[in-house]
Amino acid sequence: MKNENLSVVVGAGLAGSAAARVLAESGIRVVVIEKLSHVAGHCHDMKNEEGITVHTYGPHIFHTNNREVWQFVNRFADFNYYQHRVLSYADGRMIPFPINRDTIAEVFGLTLSTNEVRTFLSEEVARSQFSNPPRNFRDAVVSQVGERLYELFFKNYTIKQWERDPELLSPEIARRIPVRENRDSRYFTDKYQGIPSEGYTRMIERMLDHPNIEVRLSTDYFDIVEELGASMTVYTGPLDRYFGYEYGELEYRSLELEFRTFDQEFYQPVATVNYPNDYDWTRITEFKHFLGEMSKRTTVCFEYPKSSGEPYYIVMSDDNLEKREKYMKNVAELEATGKVLFIGRLAEYKYYNMDQVIAESLSKTQQWLQAK
Amino acid sequence: MKNENLSVVVGAGLAGSAAARVLAESGIRVVVIEKLSHVAGHCHDMKNEEGITVHTYGPHIFHTNNREVWQFVNRFADFNYYQHRVLSYADGRMIPFPINRDTIAEVFGLTLSTNEVRTFLSEEVARSQFSNPPRNFRDAVVSQVGERLYELFFKNYTIKQWERDPELLSPEIARRIPVRENRDSRYFTDKYQGIPSEGYTRMIERMLDHPNIEVRLSTDYFDIVEELGASMTVYTGPLDRYFGYEYGELEYRSLELEFRTFDQEFYQPVATVNYPNDYDWTRITEFKHFLGEMSKRTTVCFEYPKSSGEPYYIVMSDDNLEKREKYMKNVAELEATGKVLFIGRLAEYKYYNMDQVIAESLSKTQQWLQAK
């Protein structure tokens, strides 16, 4: 028996929580089913014993140009107006990254002005060897910044990240690598940036704190789907799982995160330092920078890419994208019935930033409500 | 029955308080009528629980080249000789503002000398597109500093401030944007600058502390105008209100001020940081810089422009300026009788700095006394 005024949301991450909130505020009763024992999905964070807010699944920095999304999250959190900066440890020094005027000045010992950046890069490209149009990831990067900056910042980082030769990766991945002719060394340039002052988990808890929302943790949706009897479902779990792996498993890159606490006030000058060439980790993140938390000790996280485990990054191979195509046809048919919505990184097998997930979740649920 | 030796001053802000003082010292009895529950108008300030003097209506910095005005205010306050400096957060960095040699060096990574500033700006202007003579705000700024500095510092700030496309705003607003060929990074270059050591409110209280002055707070002048029977009135309230909105309401831009206290000693390196491009506020002011007050925590104020509320800035649209013209004819007629003076930002619908208000108030009341 269907309950006409009951929706089920599968997953209590950003996608599911935003959808649940929109539905609840429109008067619909919502049951949120979460497999894990906590809400917030990959945004999950918590204070450790040093009093430092640690991001359980690696660093998350909120950034958006979408005012509606910014206003939405600000209903559930005060933000610390942190703007992310990354240094890349290369040639034995910490160098501003992404590439901007200061990066070039630092790497090459030049005192060039921002006006000279374009000329400098053109000359770098001109003295490099690559195929045009680019046939692979290497060609795509070299055609923008030349061989020297490619070797220094991109080549080995990519090998670590994807465990593949950059000459065997699609040029698509490097279609738009951010290169700036000015001195802006921020990692993101979005109008709105920040980290929730009390953490992402608290923000999501507030989003889910509504009389029409009930949250069931540690529950597998597929175990109870029959008994729920909801008239509508928002699914934010893995796309292939929903369809019983009908067209095969979708591949993900994963990460091993090694958290370590050191008996010193700071480990590094900024929150994130990339290690393109040295060691096996891709980057180290020191969490206390995000919220300006004070403590005598410091907690950092080393990221080691790996090929299996918790799903982090979709793999844009032909094989995976073909499978996705097939699954997405199923999705389109189901969504047309008005009874299921697929939202988010896992359910759409798509790379989304946090703000994009929220924008997608708000717009899909609002559209559904209007069409109802 | 008129009381020949009684004046009424409407409003206990700077304009009214200065006028009241001059009249009182000439032997006239003065009743000051103030609608609010406090004196000092928009200069009002008070110490908060952190021991930091906060400006209730946003930051006020006293600066003047007028020695008479400086001597006048120094009769009622000791001054902290603070000189205001503003940084503008652009390209992810805090950059000295207004534009001077150091701004250009910082933005463009140049090591130019002050001798080269003029040439640099001419080249910037030469490579830019704009109408000459300027048809709008954008043209007016671009014709002085070129497109790049316009985009970085002026364009989005103006959109935030006026909620209008800069190409639809009058070039008058940008007639003289301050651009300096030297390394002076002060916001004002007036000979005398400072902040009253015990605050503006205390200064105004002292100004009003005279045996001939009586202050009535929380009183609406228009409720009691009949019973006062004063022979002369100094009006510092809204121009349109005085004339019963005869020619329609005069428009103002307003501000929402968000005061926040953070558990850290400092929030930013200087008192005011402008945010032309990021977030929705125009600027953040950290009050403790003004008087060098010490505290473990810090209080700041975020300013969000808005179109209605407490009147802050006059709107120089054709419509408003036409209305003002009509009202000012009424004013001229009334002032000719010697029975009413209109003084100040509100009563003249005019943008005045604090020193200009005082200069105007001193000169108008002194003239009136001489003509009596």
Side-chain angles (χ1 to χ4, degrees):
Chain A
M1 199 183 73
K2 293 280 174 191
N3 185 330
E4 277 309 315
N5 199 31
L6 176 68
S7 284
V8 165
V9 171
V10 184
L14 260 191
S17 301
R21 184 75 191 195
V22 172
L23 295 171
E25 288 182 353
S26 82
I28 292 171
R29 225 157 50 71
V30 186
V31 176
V32 179
I33 309 291
E34 170 57 56
K35 204 168 114 179
L36 301 176
S37 59
H38 63 74
V39 300
H42 274 197
C43 304
H44 185 264
D45 52 16
M46 59 186 301
K47 273 205 181 190
N48 69 8
E49 51 198 9
E50 311 298 335
I52 299 165
T53 304
V54 168
H55 297 181
T56 318
Y57 299 89
H60 282 69
I61 296 100
F62 196 86
H63 57 99
T64 189
N65 282 313
N66 184 323
R67 181 184 276 194
E68 188 194 346
V69 167
W70 180 245
Q71 287 176 338
F72 182 76
V73 293
N74 273 270
R75 289 176 54 200
F76 310 107
D78 278 336
F79 273 74
N80 181 36
Y81 303 119
Y82 169 81
Q83 302 221 325
H84 197 42
R85 279 166 215 277
V86 170
L87 296 171
S88 195
Y89 187 75
D91 281 353
R93 285 206 322 294
M94 300 215 182
I95 298 169
F97 191 81
I99 294 171
N100 62 75
R101 177 268 179 196
D102 289 359
T103 312
I104 294 167
E106 184 77 11
V107 168
F108 299 103
L110 288 165
T111 49
L112 81 176
S113 78
T114 56
N115 289 350
E116 295 159 328
V117 169
R118 191 179 302 203
T119 313
F120 177 86
L121 289 174
S122 309
E123 286 166 5
E124 283 296 293
V125 171
R127 58 193 270 181
S128 303
Q129 303 276 325
F130 61 96
S131 296
N132 197 358
R135 281 180 311 196
N136 55 46
F137 177 87
R138 180 194 172 280
D139 287 345
V141 177
V142 171
S143 70
Q144 293 173 74
V145 301
E147 272 167 355
R148 294 201 293 180
L149 290 166
Y150 164 74
E151 302 273 340
L152 199 59
F153 294 118
F154 295 93
K155 181 181 172 182
N156 294 319
Y157 195 90
T158 305
I159 293 171
K160 280 187 190 179
Q161 177 89 321
W162 297 98
E163 283 180 90
R164 284 177 72 179
D165 183 339
E167 301 190 30
L168 298 176
L169 286 171
S170 153
E172 283 298 295
I173 304 180
R175 205 172 12 142
R176 289 181 307 119
I177 62 161
V179 177
R180 303 191 188 135
E181 290 177 23
N182 60 18
R183 303 186 65 199
D184 194 341
S185 67
R186 292 174 299 168
Y187 201 66
F188 308 112
T189 54
D190 302 54
K191 179 167 182 181
Y192 307 102
Q193 301 182 41
I195 311 256
S197 305
E198 296 176 67
Y200 290 101
T201 306
R202 190 76 199 90
M203 177 177 91
I204 302 264
E205 283 169 356
R206 287 216 192 86
M207 213 178 277
L208 291 168
D209 181 15
H210 187 284
N212 286 343
I213 299 177
E214 175 198 336
V215 180
R216 295 191 203 160
L217 296 175
S218 308
T219 304
D220 190 325
Y221 166 70
F222 296 101
D223 293 345
I224 58 162
V225 52
E226 303 300 339
E227 71 201 56
L228 285 166
S231 62
M232 184 270 217
T233 301
V234 175
Y235 181 75
T236 74
L239 177 58
D240 49 5
R241 171 74 184 87
Y242 190 92
F243 297 105
Y245 305 104
E246 184 178 349
Y247 309 118
E249 274 193 53
L250 291 163
E251 204 183 339
Y252 278 93
R253 293 291 295 169
S254 188
L255 290 175
E256 186 176 316
L257 302 172
E258 186 193 1
F259 293 91
R260 293 181 64 183
T261 295
F262 293 100
D263 198 10
Q264 59 197 71
E265 195 177 353
F266 283 101
Y267 189 79
Q268 57 193 29
V270 294
T272 298
V273 177
N274 286 353
Y275 282 77
N277 309 314
D278 300 276
Y279 306 102
D280 289 333
W281 54 79
T282 48
R283 56 183 186 180
I284 303 176
T285 296
E286 184 173 35
F287 293 101
K288 69 195 318 181
H289 294 281
F290 289 146
L291 297 175
E293 288 159 332
M294 307 290 192
S295 57
K296 290 198 172 158
R297 313 214 305 157
T298 191
T299 302
V300 306
C301 159
F302 296 73
E303 291 182 44
Y304 298 87
K306 58 176 184 172
S307 58
S308 64
E310 186 68 18
Y312 273 88
Y313 304 108
I314 68 166
V315 176
M316 293 214 280
S317 66
D318 292 347
D319 185 40
N320 277 300
L321 295 179
E322 271 168 37
K323 284 185 202 163
R324 176 182 190 272
E325 202 73 0
K326 291 183 191 162
Y327 284 121
M328 290 310 283
K329 275 192 191 138
N330 292 14
V331 166
E333 278 170 31
L334 271 177
E335 288 195 335
T337 68
K339 287 182 182 148
V340 193
L341 297 178
F342 288 75
I343 305 175
R345 275 191 171 206
L346 292 171
E348 300 178 58
Y349 195 69
K350 192 166 172 179
Y351 186 89
Y352 273 135
N353 289 325
M354 287 186 281
D355 65 321
Q356 295 170 317
V357 167
I358 295 171
E360 177 75 4
S361 192
L362 297 183
S363 100
K364 265 193 151 172
T365 45
Q366 281 156 358
Q367 269 175 32
W368 180 84
L369 283 168
Q370 275 159 22
K372 198 169 68 131
Chain B
M1 197 184 74
K2 293 281 174 189
N3 186 329
E4 277 309 316
N5 198 30
L6 176 69
S7 285
V8 166
V9 171
V10 185
L14 260 190
S17 302
R21 185 75 191 196
V22 173
L23 295 171
E25 288 182 352
S26 81
I28 293 172
R29 224 157 49 73
V30 185
V31 177
V32 179
I33 309 291
E34 170 57 56
K35 205 167 115 180
L36 301 176
S37 59
H38 63 73
V39 300
H42 274 196
C43 304
H44 185 264
D45 54 16
M46 59 187 301
K47 273 204 183 193
N48 69 8
E49 51 198 10
E50 311 297 334
I52 300 166
T53 303
V54 167
H55 297 180
T56 318
Y57 299 90
H60 282 69
I61 297 100
F62 197 86
H63 57 98
T64 189
N65 282 314
N66 184 323
R67 179 186 276 192
E68 188 195 345
V69 167
W70 181 245
Q71 288 176 336
F72 181 76
V73 292
N74 273 270
R75 289 175 54 201
F76 310 106
D78 278 337
F79 273 74
N80 180 36
Y81 302 121
Y82 169 82
Q83 303 222 327
H84 198 42
R85 278 167 214 277
V86 170
L87 296 171
S88 194
Y89 186 75
D91 281 353
R93 285 204 324 295
M94 300 213 183
I95 299 170
F97 191 82
I99 294 170
N100 61 74
R101 178 271 173 198
D102 290 358
T103 312
I104 294 166
E106 183 79 9
V107 168
F108 298 105
L110 288 165
T111 49
L112 79 177
S113 77
T114 56
N115 290 347
E116 295 161 325
V117 169
R118 190 179 303 203
T119 313
F120 177 86
L121 289 173
S122 309
E123 285 166 7
E124 283 297 293
V125 171
R127 58 191 270 179
S128 303
Q129 304 275 325
F130 61 94
S131 296
N132 197 357
R135 280 181 311 197
N136 54 47
F137 177 86
R138 180 193 171 281
D139 288 344
V141 177
V142 171
S143 70
Q144 294 173 75
V145 301
E147 271 167 358
R148 294 200 295 181
L149 290 165
Y150 164 74
E151 301 272 340
L152 199 60
F153 294 118
F154 294 93
K155 182 182 172 181
N156 294 319
Y157 196 90
T158 304
I159 292 172
K160 280 186 189 178
Q161 177 90 318
W162 297 98
E163 281 178 89
R164 285 179 70 180
D165 183 338
E167 300 190 28
L168 298 176
L169 287 171
S170 153
E172 282 299 296
I173 305 180
R175 206 171 13 141
R176 287 181 308 119
I177 62 161
V179 176
R180 303 191 188 134
E181 290 177 23
N182 61 17
R183 303 187 65 198
D184 192 344
S185 67
R186 292 173 301 167
Y187 201 66
F188 307 112
T189 53
D190 303 54
K191 179 169 183 182
Y192 307 103
Q193 301 183 39
I195 311 256
S197 305
E198 296 174 68
Y200 290 100
T201 305
R202 192 74 199 92
M203 177 177 91
I204 302 266
E205 281 168 358
R206 287 218 191 83
M207 213 178 277
L208 292 168
D209 182 17
H210 187 284
N212 285 343
I213 299 177
E214 176 198 338
V215 180
R216 295 191 203 161
L217 296 175
S218 308
T219 304
D220 190 325
Y221 165 70
F222 295 99
D223 292 345
I224 57 162
V225 50
E226 304 299 342
E227 72 201 57
L228 285 165
S231 61
M232 185 271 217
T233 301
V234 174
Y235 181 76
T236 74
L239 177 58
D240 50 4
R241 170 76 184 85
Y242 190 91
F243 297 104
Y245 306 103
E246 183 178 351
Y247 308 119
E249 274 192 51
L250 291 163
E251 204 183 338
Y252 278 93
R253 292 291 295 169
S254 189
L255 290 176
E256 187 176 316
L257 302 173
E258 186 192 1
F259 292 91
R260 293 181 65 182
T261 295
F262 293 100
D263 198 9
Q264 59 196 71
E265 195 177 352
F266 283 101
Y267 190 79
Q268 58 192 28
V270 294
T272 298
V273 177
N274 286 353
Y275 282 77
N277 309 313
D278 300 275
Y279 305 102
D280 287 333
W281 55 77
T282 48
R283 56 182 186 180
I284 303 176
T285 296
E286 184 173 34
F287 293 102
K288 69 196 317 182
H289 294 281
F290 289 147
L291 297 174
E293 288 158 332
M294 307 288 192
S295 56
K296 287 198 172 160
R297 314 214 305 157
T298 191
T299 302
V300 306
C301 159
F302 296 72
E303 291 182 41
Y304 298 87
K306 58 176 184 173
S307 58
S308 63
E310 185 69 19
Y312 274 88
Y313 304 108
I314 68 165
V315 176
M316 292 215 279
S317 66
D318 292 345
D319 185 40
N320 278 300
L321 294 179
E322 272 167 36
K323 282 183 201 163
R324 176 183 188 272
E325 202 72 0
K326 291 183 192 163
Y327 283 122
M328 291 310 282
K329 275 190 190 139
N330 292 13
V331 166
E333 278 170 29
L334 273 176
E335 288 194 335
T337 67
K339 288 182 181 150
V340 194
L341 296 178
F342 288 75
I343 304 175
R345 276 191 172 205
L346 292 171
E348 300 178 57
Y349 194 70
K350 191 166 172 180
Y351 186 89
Y352 274 134
N353 289 325
M354 287 187 282
D355 65 322
Q356 295 170 315
V357 167
I358 295 171
E360 177 75 4
S361 193
L362 297 183
S363 101
K364 263 192 153 172
T365 45
Q366 282 157 357
Q367 267 174 33
W368 180 83
L369 284 167
Q370 277 160 22
K372 197 167 69 130

